[in-house]
Structure formats: structure tokens, C-alpha cells
Amino acid sequence: MGDYAVKTRHLAIELMGLITESLGIDPKYLETKMEDGMQVLVVNCYPKCPEPHMALRLPPHSDYSCITIVLHSSRGLEIMDASDDTWRLVPELHGALQVHIRDHVEVLSNGLYKSMLHKVTLNNERTRVSIASLYSLEMDEKMATVKELIDDEHPKKYKESSFNDFLDFLSKNDITEGKSFIESLKNN
Ligand SMILES: O=C(O)CCC(=O)C(=O)O
Ligand SMILES: [Fe+2]
């Protein structure tokens, strides 16, 4: 697990470099902040269930902060296709890693990248295990929109925020009732 954590961390920093480069800015723009940032590994176990529709599962949410890298044992993850508001099941690709774009990349890119709404459903055939590696900046480091992406035609769409701001939001709002941190960051 230690080796996996180290390698996915390097991958996450490299991917953030590619994302910033794709926005037309220096690939090293966030490198130091990512290196000083936080990594959390979450192991999720979704037991097989005779009545999956009756069970508590992972409700729809977008992930806070930069990116998540997920390795999963079988199908179950669904993502919202915003083009037609339909849930799509992520296919089972053995050995493949999934990368979720998270709220902070939506803020960074002024909405050019969208934070992915996703959920996990249970099934009655087998237990599913996933390992999610989550990458954030430091607790009080604010993520703001790249200033080169803001002009008269493209006004700043989001307020800046830190991980601590997210924890503050969580303590005051129930995300299982559909309250979303990224929505709270949008300028009117
Ligand atoms: O189990 C999965 O595939 C995704 C887990 C997830 O979305 C999360 O931990 O935030
Ligand atoms: Fe998630």
C-alpha cells in the first residue's frame, strides 16, 4: 500500500501539471503547492446486497479539492453525463485507474473543467472494493481561478476556498440532502 500511495501521489502531481498546461499556463504552476499538499487514501467496501435498491450506498456527490485517483475491483461507480442528465455506469476495466476531476479544478479553470458528479450503487452478486486516493492543497491554502483565464468576456465565476473552508461548509450543511460545496462557491 505504501508503494501504491507514493506512486499515485507522483501521478497526481504529474496529472495536475498536464491540466494546468492544457489551460495554457506553466505545468509547474501548482507543483510546489501540490507537493506541500495533502493526500488521503480511502478504502471503500460495498458488500453484496440482496436488495441493492433498499441499501444505503454512496450518494451522489462531487469530490472536494483537486483530483481523485480510484482503483476498483468491479463495476458500481456511476457518473452523471451533464449533456443529457443521465447516470452512466463506468465499465469494468481491470488494472485501470480512474481520475476524477474535483471541485478545485473547476475553480482553477473557471469552469472549463467540470467537477464530476458521481455515486456508487450496490449489487447482489459480489462485494466491491475501491481505493480512492485524494489530493488537496494544504488546509489553509486557497485555490483561486487562474487570472489569465479571466477577462471581460470570461468573468470570474467562483470564489476562492481552502480545505478548511470545505470543512466549515460540511459542518453547516447536509451534503446527503443535495447541498453542494461547488455550488456554494459560484458567483451569482
Ligand atoms: O468507490 C468508488 O468508486 C468511488 C469512491 C468515491 O467516490 C469517494 O471515495 O469519494
Ligand atoms: Fe467521490
Side-chain angles (χ1 to χ4, degrees):
M1 189 61 107
D3 196 33
Y4 179 78
V6 170
K7 290 200 167 127
T8 49
R9 181 173 166 75
H10 288 149
L11 179 61
I13 293 172
E14 197 176 330
L15 286 170
M16 283 303 291
L18 292 171
I19 288 170
T20 50
E21 191 174 14
S22 75
L23 295 171
I25 49 175
D26 187 347
K28 293 195 182 301
Y29 179 76
L30 279 178
E31 198 175 76
T32 310
K33 288 183 182 174
M34 286 293 290
E35 277 166 0
D36 293 343
M38 295 183 292
Q39 173 182 21
V40 176
L41 247 75
V42 180
V43 180
N44 302 295
C45 179
Y46 309 90
K48 68 178 176 183
C49 173
E51 293 186 88
H53 58 285
M54 302 284 286
L56 198 61
R57 53 217 161 99
L58 194 59
H61 66 282
S62 67
D63 291 343
Y64 173 73
S65 200
C66 298
I67 55 176
T68 306
I69 297 176
V70 183
L71 181 64
H72 68 175
S73 64
S74 56
R75 282 186 301 186
L77 178 68
E78 294 181 41
I79 58 169
M80 172 58 77
D81 184 342
S83 66
D84 59 2
D85 281 350
T86 306
W87 288 106
R88 308 238 184 254
L89 186 65
V90 174
E92 196 168 320
L93 294 170
H94 281 291
L97 296 170
Q98 299 153 47
V99 177
H100 300 184
I101 296 292
R102 300 171 63 179
D103 296 352
H104 260 172
V105 172
E106 182 164 335
V107 171
L108 176 81
S109 68
N110 212 20
L112 290 173
Y113 281 98
K114 298 283 185 233
S115 186
M116 195 190 71
L117 191 63
H118 55 287
K119 64 178 182 178
V120 178
T121 47
L122 303 184
N123 70 75
N124 56 13
E125 285 162 15
R126 52 187 164 162
T127 294
R128 175 175 187 272
V129 174
S130 72
I131 304 172
S133 315
L134 305 100
Y135 300 90
S136 319
L137 305 184
E138 267 187 298
M139 292 297 277
D140 289 310
E141 186 70 58
K142 302 258 186 200
M143 179 68 95
T145 303
V146 174
K147 63 178 184 329
E148 287 82 351
L149 296 177
I150 303 170
D151 57 28
D152 289 345
E153 270 178 53
H154 308 94
K156 187 174 155 201
K157 292 188 185 155
Y158 304 87
K159 299 177 196 64
E160 56 182 51
S161 67
S162 66
F163 191 80
N164 261 334
D165 294 330
F166 170 65
L167 294 182
D168 193 40
F169 174 86
L170 266 191
S171 69
K172 295 181 184 140
N173 296 277
D174 188 350
I175 53 167
T176 61
E177 283 180 359
K179 293 277 188 304
S180 142
F181 184 59
I182 187 72
E183 288 304 319
S184 78
L185 297 179
K186 287 184 181 167
N187 292 325
N188 298 321

